[in-house]
Amino acid sequence: MHPLIHEWAMDRIPIHKRSLFKEAATRLVACAIKNLPVRIRLLSHIDSLLWHSAIAPMHVNDRAAFGKMLRKAGRLEDAQGVWMAVRDELESRYDILQISFATVYLEMALTLKKESQQRRIWEEDAVELYESVYGETHMKTLHAKRSLAETCLSVGDYKAAARLLRCLLKELEEQDAEFYLEACRVMRIAASVSFRQKEYSGAQSFGEQALQGLSSILPAHDREVLTASAELARTYSHLKLHADAERL
């Protein structure tokens, strides 16, 4: 919807009712964000609601929902601005860091390129919070550690990535079958780290396990399966296993 339409609609609302209407519209849009067919149509409404934030204070949960939507739409700078506002509001409310800060740190990190050192810092903060509240084996902690390992790989700190991945694999070995997909994802990253360190036999072992596991859970056309296949084919090529590379 064009911004002028938003302004026209706002002008037709009596001034003493604008705050109430804006809060209602904010809740409606925030609740509809998970509806995939209409989600892309909500961006102009989100822009309008954020722009008119002076009319009525916006709840921090609504800002968080809008920040996530902006990130998924590829508007990373706008999303980062929203999430930083969420962080500032939380900091003004609480004397100590709450678990909600971990979500904010991870969302802010996702607005940056994987090669960014600031992304690594925010992910490290999130991991520290998750570990202190949920423990080392909670799924949220494991997800955050895996994301941090990928960032360490992207910035070229292979030793830190390998150290994180070893800890993750050890923790995942002791978990139930429901953690198997996460273990496969960790092994795929471990294969990439081994490849970057020119440890091609290790890259082959991790890569084969990752591909076998991902293929057993996800569809053949899934992006993760295709990425694991391409990375394993690259490893086969370096090991001169050309027939296996061509098969993949």
Side-chain angles (χ1 to χ4, degrees), residues 162-225:
R163 184 171 61 252
L164 274 167
L165 294 168
R166 282 195 299 270
C167 292
L168 278 170
L169 289 172
K170 182 178 180 181
E171 291 163 0
L172 287 165
E173 284 177 357
E174 301 171 359
Q175 303 303 316
D176 298 331
E178 62 181 307
F179 288 80
Y180 182 57
L181 178 58
E182 183 67 17
C184 294
R185 288 167 172 161
V186 170
M187 284 189 283
R188 187 190 67 77
I189 303 170
S192 295
V193 172
S194 297
F195 184 89
R196 297 286 182 86
Q197 293 178 313
K198 298 182 179 181
E199 298 173 357
Y200 300 123
S201 59
Q204 178 184 357
S205 176
F206 281 127
E208 289 173 344
Q209 293 179 73
L211 180 58
Q212 180 181 0
L214 291 171
S215 299
S216 68
I217 300 172
L218 304 173
H221 61 270
D222 187 90
R223 181 181 58 84
E224 290 188 73
V225 175

Side-chain angles (χ1 to χ4, degrees), residues 8-101:
W8 175 81
M10 183 66 71
D11 289 341
R12 292 179 63 84
I13 300 173
I15 293 177
H16 67 282
K17 292 185 177 180
R18 289 182 183 178
S19 174
L20 180 63
F21 273 77
K22 179 183 176 294
E23 288 188 29
T26 299
R27 297 294 185 279
L28 180 63
V29 173
C31 290
I33 279 179
K34 291 185 178 181
N35 190 325
L36 198 58
V38 302
R39 194 165 64 187
I40 194 64
R41 302 177 182 272
L42 299 177
L43 290 175
S44 63
H45 299 286
I46 291 174
D47 288 336
S48 178
L49 290 167
L50 290 171
W51 177 259
H52 290 103
S53 59
I55 295 176
M58 185 177 293
H59 194 277
V60 66
N61 289 343
D62 297 324
R63 286 186 180 275
F66 292 166
K68 182 171 292 189
M69 175 58 200
L70 290 170
R71 174 180 62 77
K72 290 184 176 180
R75 292 173 49 181
L76 301 183
E77 289 187 10
D78 293 334
Q80 185 180 129
V82 171
W83 281 109
M84 293 183 79
V86 170
R87 180 197 60 185
D88 293 342
E89 183 173 347
L90 290 175
E91 287 179 345
S92 68
R93 288 187 181 185
Y94 304 108
D95 294 331
I96 59 174
L97 292 180
Q98 306 290 317
I99 191 60
S100 53
F101 279 91

Side-chain angles (χ1 to χ4, degrees), residues 1-11 48:
M1 186 179 293
H2 195 281
L4 288 176
I5 303 298
H6 284 288
E7 292 301 321
W8 175 81
M10 183 66 71
D11 289 341
S48 178

